[in-house]
Amino acid sequence: MKPETREPVNILLVDDQPSKLLAYEAALACLGENLVTVGSARAALEMLLEREIAVVLADVCMPEIDGFDLLAMIRRHPRFRDTAVILVSGIQVGDPDQLKGYDSGAVDYLPVPFAPEVLRAKVRVFVDLFRKTRELQALNRRLEQLVEARTAELRRSNRDLEQFAYAASHDLQEPLRMISSFLQLLSRRYSGRLDAQADEFIAFASGSAQRMHAMINDLLSYARLDLAGAHFTPVACDRALQQALANLRLAIRENGATVTQGSLPTVMGDEFQVAQVFQNLVGNAIKFRRKEADPVVHVDCDLRDGEWLLSVRDNGIGLDPTYAQRIFEVFQRLHGREEYAGTGIGLSLCKKIVERHGGTIWCESSPGSGSTFYFTLPIAPASRTSRLGSEPLPLQAQPSPMP
């Protein structure tokens, strides 16, 4: 097995006395590195700008620019942050000048007169450290390039999948409309004219077509989120909530629901999508009601950790905390269709919208005790210090605490 070969690194030796430079070279020649000698601090700076230097060995006492000043100049330049500077001096341990050197960024001192083996040991440590640092930096660059390439590949793949889901869902609409139309014709023309089982089969097929139609529409809505642009503007949550409640007008009236609100803020986002989140959360709160109590829903918010924390709290049937994460998955349902209608994509849509806005969403609940859905949204620049006031919402009581 061949021994590992390494590219030699540069070691810069700085001293105004040629005899001392010869002594440094003699002591370090066996390391196999490139030894570069200069006779002044000014020449050292020029050499540092020309080459990558691993270690600088500099005498403290030099004319014009001494070792301390050279060290200060090196440490001010970000290009030399990995270059180790060893100062050569006759000062004793604990001397104020020694502390000055360490404070300025020296990694070590070489006392004079020096022992060659001591100089070799000191320089070898920092050469090895420099080489390891460069290896780690090269590895990090390769990892970053790999991550960038994989991320770009994933983006392309996700974009293709989203476009495929959108196109497939859109293309499925036409044949499904034909199926639904012919099932309706069958029902109108032959209902009661065939046997009871045939009527039941037609009803099952028609119901399945309707559910498929709802699922495709929901998939289209889900796919459109990532196909939409990401240009966010200040959104008044009061207005977004009012839009949601206007869409839920019939459900609110039929279920005798009461929706109240606290003071809601202005956030950065897409107004239509923020309204979708409110509509799905308030709609679910009304749908999953307790039979013995009218639905009561309260929408509120708080400022936490530099973002708005919004909440939708209800007095409904609640859910087992075990399923608190599962409910945000696509088409996941905890109840049968006969009991509660829907496709099971509403909360997935909420999760995708909130995450697209840079926030998170979660649920706190227990069976029979209602649920509270929390989600975070970024603060709009104009509302970083205060919340906007709210106006009475349509089809609801004035803001009041939950009972």
Side-chain angles (χ1 to χ4, degrees):
M1 184 175 179
K2 293 183 179 181
E4 183 182 0
T5 58
R6 293 180 172 179
E7 287 292 326
V9 299
N10 296 315
I11 300 172
L12 181 60
L13 310 176
V14 189
D15 203 300
D16 60 326
Q17 298 181 33
S19 59
K20 290 174 68 176
L21 289 175
L22 289 173
Y24 299 151
E25 286 184 289
L28 299 175
C30 62
L31 295 181
E33 311 294 351
N34 291 331
L35 303 179
V36 182
T37 60
V38 293
S40 68
R42 192 178 304 279
L45 289 172
E46 293 175 356
M47 189 61 63
L48 281 161
L49 292 172
E50 290 178 8
R51 306 185 187 184
E52 185 178 56
I53 304 297
V55 180
V56 175
L57 182 69
D59 190 20
V60 168
C61 299
M62 290 185 292
E64 295 184 7
I65 304 174
D66 63 20
F68 292 129
D69 291 337
L70 173 62
L71 175 60
M73 293 176 187
I74 292 173
R75 286 294 168 251
R76 280 199 296 268
H77 203 299
R79 177 179 172 182
F80 311 134
R81 65 180 182 275
D82 297 326
T83 300
V85 179
I86 302 173
L87 294 177
V88 181
S89 175
I91 58 180
Q92 301 300 314
V93 176
D95 189 287
D97 279 346
Q98 188 182 53
L99 298 178
K100 176 183 176 182
Y102 284 128
D103 287 341
S104 300
V107 298
D108 207 345
Y109 268 94
L110 178 70
V112 288
F114 67 88
E117 61 273 15
V118 172
L119 173 58
R120 280 194 296 272
K122 289 178 181 290
V123 171
R124 185 182 289 115
V125 166
F126 296 108
V127 165
D128 290 344
L129 180 60
F130 181 86
R131 189 170 274 121
K132 291 296 182 184
T133 300
R134 286 294 178 266
E135 289 173 0
L136 284 173
Q137 289 171 345
L139 178 60
N140 283 337
R141 284 193 296 271
R142 288 197 294 273
L143 287 173
E144 287 171 0
Q145 291 169 356
L146 180 60
V147 168
E148 285 179 8
R150 291 289 174 86
T151 301
E153 184 180 342
L154 282 172
R155 286 200 189 102
R156 285 193 299 271
S157 177
N158 286 339
R159 194 160 50 245
D160 291 344
L161 284 172
E162 287 153 6
Q163 291 173 347
F164 171 77
Y166 181 83
S169 299
H170 187 272
D171 293 344
L172 284 172
Q173 293 279 23
E174 185 57 33
L176 185 60
R177 276 194 291 269
M178 293 294 294
I179 292 171
S180 297
S181 297
F182 281 109
L183 285 171
Q184 289 171 11
L185 281 174
L186 280 172
S187 179
R188 284 198 300 269
R189 291 188 181 183
Y190 298 103
S191 179
R193 298 177 62 182
L194 303 173
D195 58 23
Q197 196 172 43
D199 290 343
E200 186 180 6
F201 289 164
I202 292 173
F204 283 154
S206 182
S208 296
Q210 290 172 7
R211 286 196 299 274
M212 178 65 77
H213 182 71
M215 291 173 71
I216 289 174
N217 281 337
D218 285 344
L219 277 175
L220 281 170
S221 298
Y222 193 80
R224 282 191 188 108
L225 284 179
D226 287 318
L227 295 175
H231 180 64
F232 293 156
T233 57
V235 175
C237 285
D238 279 326
R239 188 169 59 198
L241 180 57
Q242 289 174 22
Q243 292 174 9
L245 294 178
N247 294 336
L248 294 168
R249 185 185 304 270
L250 183 60
I252 292 172
R253 182 181 298 119
E254 289 180 346
N255 290 275
T258 300
V259 183
T260 63
Q261 69 166 96
S263 177
L264 299 183
T266 294
V267 301
M268 284 302 293
D270 181 302
E271 183 170 333
F272 174 75
Q273 292 181 8
V274 173
Q276 276 187 298
V277 173
F278 281 128
Q279 181 172 331
N280 283 331
L281 295 181
V282 175
N284 278 354
I286 295 172
K287 180 196 299 185
F288 297 102
R289 56 174 295 182
R290 294 205 311 265
K291 294 180 180 179
E292 69 277 9
D294 289 339
V296 178
V297 187
H298 185 66
V299 182
D300 210 342
C301 82
D302 195 8
L303 183 61
R304 293 188 187 176
D305 300 326
E307 59 186 359
W308 290 116
L309 174 65
L310 293 105
S311 61
V312 178
R313 184 157 48 107
D314 64 55
N315 65 337
I317 62 174
L319 59 93
D320 188 331
T322 305
Y323 304 113
Q325 292 302 317
R326 177 184 161 187
I327 58 175
F328 293 103
E329 297 175 11
V330 178
F331 296 136
Q332 290 296 316
R333 298 174 55 91
L334 303 183
H335 307 278
R337 291 187 179 87
E338 300 79 8
E339 194 175 3
Y340 295 100
T343 61
I345 205 172
L347 290 177
S348 304
L349 201 63
C350 290
K351 183 174 185 287
K352 193 164 190 178
I353 290 172
V354 170
E355 289 179 348
R356 183 172 179 265
H357 283 68
T360 55
I361 185 170
W362 68 96
C363 174
E364 294 180 2
S365 182
S366 59
S369 300
S371 303
T372 302
F373 284 84
Y374 296 95
F375 62 98
T376 59
L377 291 175
I379 300 173
S383 65
R384 291 193 176 274
T385 57
S386 63
R387 266 195 283 190
L388 294 180
S390 60
E391 298 176 0
L393 293 174
L395 304 176
Q396 65 170 42
Q398 292 293 324
S400 63
M402 282 281 290

